[in-house]
Amino acid sequence: MLSIYNSLSNSKELFKPIDPGQVRMYVCGMTVYDYCHLGHARMLVVFDAIFRYLKVSGYRVTYIRNITDIDDKIIKRAIENGETIQQLTERFIQAMHEDTDALLIERPSAEPRATDNIAAIIKMVETLVEKGHAYCADNGDVYYSVGSFAEYGKLSGKRPDDLLAGARVEKDESKRDPLDFVLWKAAKPGEPFWPSPWGDGRPGWHIECSAMSTTQLGAHFDIHGGGQDLQFPHHENEIAQSEACTGQQYVNYWIHNGFVRVNEEKMSKSLGNFFTVRDILKHYQAEEVRFFILNSHYRSPLNYSDEQLDNARAALTRLYTALRGIEETPLGDFGEDYRARFKDAMDDDFNTPEAMAVLFELAREINRLREHDAVSAAQAAALLVELGGVLGLIQSTAENYLKAAPSAKGLAAEDVEALVAQRTEARANKDWAESDRLRDLLKEQGIVLEDSAKGTSWRRE
RNA sequence: GGCUGGGUGGCAGAGUGGUUAUGCAGCGGUUUGCAAAACCGUGGAUGCCGGUUCAAUUCCGACCCCAGCCUCCA
């Protein structure tokens, strides 16, 4: 039985879908005005693994991940770049898809965009105004009245009184209450706008997720996810909007992934300490990034460093080395105990690090079996590939992974092969001096040779 | 100030009221022309102080420290 840590209750709960056999999940995606950084990658990879695991657990999963393609930062960036908002957002949506594809992230069931859902947004704001949860201010903005929703704060554990006591609440003359937040922004000259009952304007940030999730999944659905930084105010506000609008419970399980850190500090745009996915992929294989992310529990902080990525590479090298030269065969009932342990780990709030430990135990088993029981070894290999696949790992072949040159520099494969052939000849002649010279030469190029009875194989360090 | 999380061996990172995490690194073997890979064996940890218990790293309380949210942010 799957249990999930629910941010709403701050505890693990047994997962029960609203409709048996079906899961409806919404995750807050990207605001598209820049490239994905590692923080985005974590969210994307973590929820991809959850998506995959729910599916192999037998659920039909509808997974919605939105795209925010209109907001202040986008408008600002488009002006800076001298391009239209649409040019900017299309460019970065494409870049995001390149990054997610590279990271072997499956496409969600749908990726709704805010600008395609303006009608639904306006309708929701209208309902909130009608029900007395929102009001149009003198400046043309429409605000949500936080005081009108008694349960405000139930997700973040914050009480309105405490928030007011904090010094950081902005003062805005047009709001009736400092905690009120904007649902609809009146357009300023030169800004993009859509017509609405309150005049030309555009949606506030929080309302788009309420509108899109409800449109796609209904008023009440199973899982809503996102980064920890969205818990407040974004998700708190979504609950306030949605539940006030529909009168129903909005979401059953809230899942928040932890931050990526650099030197014990949150990776963020404002601190300028972020690494983009594409920069990292110049030096590391995508699977190494995935491994690095999933090797920590999704709620823990994830410290970024090259050493960590190197570690992921060493670990993956071990797994792929075990698979090298083995033809996978159908499993039969091989390895039910491994499969059960993997499942138990994942059922325990998606404990990917523990699930990955099973992968390494399978690798050891393969290495033990391969000399004297090729059939069992091949079955173990098939299981390793299968379980790895649940996490989106071990999706390449051993040869491809071990011989891949992530930095694009280094010897071409054909040149390596030629030198290996030369060395094989020298070894046949017992010319150990020449043989070692060639190995050292390759070693300098980051190529490791491994001699066996079947010949010499090579891999990149 | 209010609210959340967390402090585990050399590093990363899980679980667990008494018994192997896992990976990398170390040490000793086996193997190898030399290596590498692999296998076998092995040392090493639970922030501090109390409490509960036959037994606590694991439960409870205080303390110290770290990170995060309360402002755009995955």
Side-chain angles (χ1 to χ4, degrees):
Chain A
M1 288 290 278
L2 172 63
S3 56
I4 297 177
Y5 184 92
N6 190 349
S7 305
L8 201 53
S9 62
N10 286 330
S11 60
K12 274 186 208 169
E13 298 175 13
L14 221 51
F15 178 68
K16 282 201 191 114
I18 295 164
D19 297 323
Q22 175 146 0
V23 177
R24 285 171 287 154
M25 175 164 84
Y26 183 94
V27 173
C28 291
M30 297 262 307
T31 299
V32 282
Y33 68 103
D34 210 338
Y35 293 111
C36 297
H37 65 238
L38 200 52
H40 298 115
R42 185 176 197 192
M43 171 271 290
L44 293 162
V45 168
V46 160
F47 285 100
D48 180 59
I50 290 174
F51 181 38
R52 288 170 187 254
Y53 185 64
L54 289 171
K55 285 193 291 183
V56 303
S57 296
Y59 293 109
R60 292 193 310 284
V61 186
T62 307
Y63 173 27
I64 308 299
R65 191 182 64 216
N66 75 295
I67 294 171
T68 298
D69 62 352
I70 180 69
D71 95 319
D72 290 350
K73 292 187 295 295
I74 290 172
I75 294 169
K76 183 161 169 271
R77 183 63 59 89
I79 292 168
E80 286 168 6
N81 290 358
E83 61 187 333
T84 67
I85 282 167
Q86 203 174 19
Q87 283 168 337
L88 176 79
T89 56
E90 287 299 332
R91 202 152 58 80
F92 283 110
I93 288 170
Q94 196 187 328
M96 173 183 75
H97 284 145
E98 286 165 11
D99 289 341
T100 56
D101 290 350
L103 291 171
L104 301 175
I105 289 160
E106 292 186 2
R107 293 291 174 98
S109 314
E111 290 183 292
R113 303 182 189 186
T115 58
D116 290 334
N117 288 272
I118 300 295
I121 292 169
I122 289 173
K123 187 141 194 315
M124 197 167 218
V125 177
E126 275 185 308
T127 304
L128 287 168
V129 172
E130 280 165 20
K131 290 192 172 183
H133 290 287
Y135 57 91
C136 185
D138 299 340
N139 61 1
D141 288 353
V142 181
Y143 292 100
Y144 185 93
S145 174
V146 167
S148 75
F149 186 69
E151 293 182 275
Y152 193 82
K154 67 178 174 181
L155 176 65
S156 56
K158 297 179 193 305
R159 288 170 311 187
D161 291 348
D162 295 337
L163 288 166
L164 282 172
R168 287 187 172 183
V169 178
E170 66 185 275
K171 285 182 188 152
D172 189 323
E173 293 303 314
S174 42
K175 289 183 186 176
R176 291 180 191 166
D177 184 311
L179 293 184
D180 292 351
F181 56 89
V182 70
L183 297 170
W184 187 261
K185 286 187 170 189
K188 297 193 186 96
E191 286 183 352
F193 64 84
W194 289 262
S196 83
W198 317 280
D200 293 342
R202 59 192 160 91
W205 175 37
H206 314 297
I207 194 69
E208 65 171 70
C209 283
S210 284
M212 286 188 278
S213 59
T214 302
T215 300
Q216 298 275 342
L217 300 172
H220 178 207
F221 55 95
D222 299 293
I223 296 173
H224 190 131
Q228 213 170 47
D229 42 3
L230 299 185
Q231 190 170 354
F232 189 89
H234 183 57
H235 291 159
E236 192 69 64
N237 291 354
E238 270 189 70
I239 292 174
Q241 291 162 346
S242 299
E243 297 193 351
C245 181
T246 68
Q248 298 182 48
Q249 166 144 7
Y250 178 42
V251 167
N252 282 358
Y253 301 88
W254 286 88
I255 301 179
H256 292 99
N257 65 274
F259 296 127
V260 176
R261 292 195 210 164
V262 179
N263 297 326
E264 302 302 321
E265 204 171 42
K266 176 182 172 180
M267 177 180 289
S268 74
K269 297 250 163 117
S270 47
L271 290 168
N273 60 349
F274 62 92
F275 296 84
T276 65
V277 168
R278 48 194 57 211
D279 278 344
I280 293 169
L281 290 180
K282 287 176 188 159
H283 305 287
Y284 294 95
Q285 299 194 52
E287 197 172 348
E288 290 158 358
V289 177
R290 254 191 109 93
F291 186 99
F292 159 64
I293 289 169
L294 294 175
N295 200 217
S296 291
H297 185 81
Y298 75 87
R299 282 189 282 115
S300 303
L302 178 63
N303 247 316
Y304 171 84
S305 70
D306 285 348
E307 194 188 351
Q308 288 270 59
L309 271 293
D310 291 342
N311 210 296
R313 176 175 297 177
L316 279 167
T317 296
R318 175 164 169 80
L319 294 180
Y320 275 116
T321 300
L323 292 174
R324 192 159 52 170
I326 289 190
E327 297 270 339
E328 298 157 32
T329 60
L331 276 164
D333 57 0
F334 176 88
E336 286 305 318
D337 46 339
Y338 291 105
R339 195 192 293 278
R341 288 182 44 219
F342 185 91
K343 181 182 183 323
D344 286 348
M346 290 300 286
D347 274 349
D348 183 13
D349 193 29
F350 310 107
N351 192 334
T352 53
E354 202 182 334
M356 282 154 76
V358 176
L359 267 31
F360 288 95
E361 284 162 27
L362 273 167
R364 168 165 291 125
E365 192 66 27
I366 293 167
N367 289 329
R368 266 197 290 246
L369 289 168
R370 66 190 309 153
E371 285 306 318
H372 63 276
D373 185 351
V375 173
S376 296
Q379 289 176 323
L383 186 56
L384 172 51
V385 170
E386 179 195 317
L387 295 180
V390 175
L391 302 174
L393 298 170
I394 321 295
Q395 298 300 285
S396 185
T397 64
E399 290 303 301
N400 283 342
Y401 177 80
L402 294 169
K403 292 182 177 174
S407 60
K409 56 189 177 189
L411 233 43
E414 309 85 72
D415 297 332
V416 176
E417 302 286 1
L419 288 164
V420 168
Q422 271 185 45
R423 177 168 170 279
T424 299
E425 198 181 324
R427 292 184 73 224
N429 298 330
K430 296 208 188 316
D431 183 352
W432 306 128
E434 174 66 0
S435 166
D436 289 347
R437 185 187 72 81
L438 286 163
R439 187 188 14 232
D440 291 345
L441 191 142
L442 284 162
K443 173 85 178 165
E444 283 169 27
Q445 299 294 319
I447 309 294
V448 179
L449 301 183
E450 288 164 15
D451 298 326
S452 76
K454 291 174 186 161
T456 298
S457 55
W458 64 274
R459 63 183 166 87
R460 293 186 201 269
E461 275 182 313

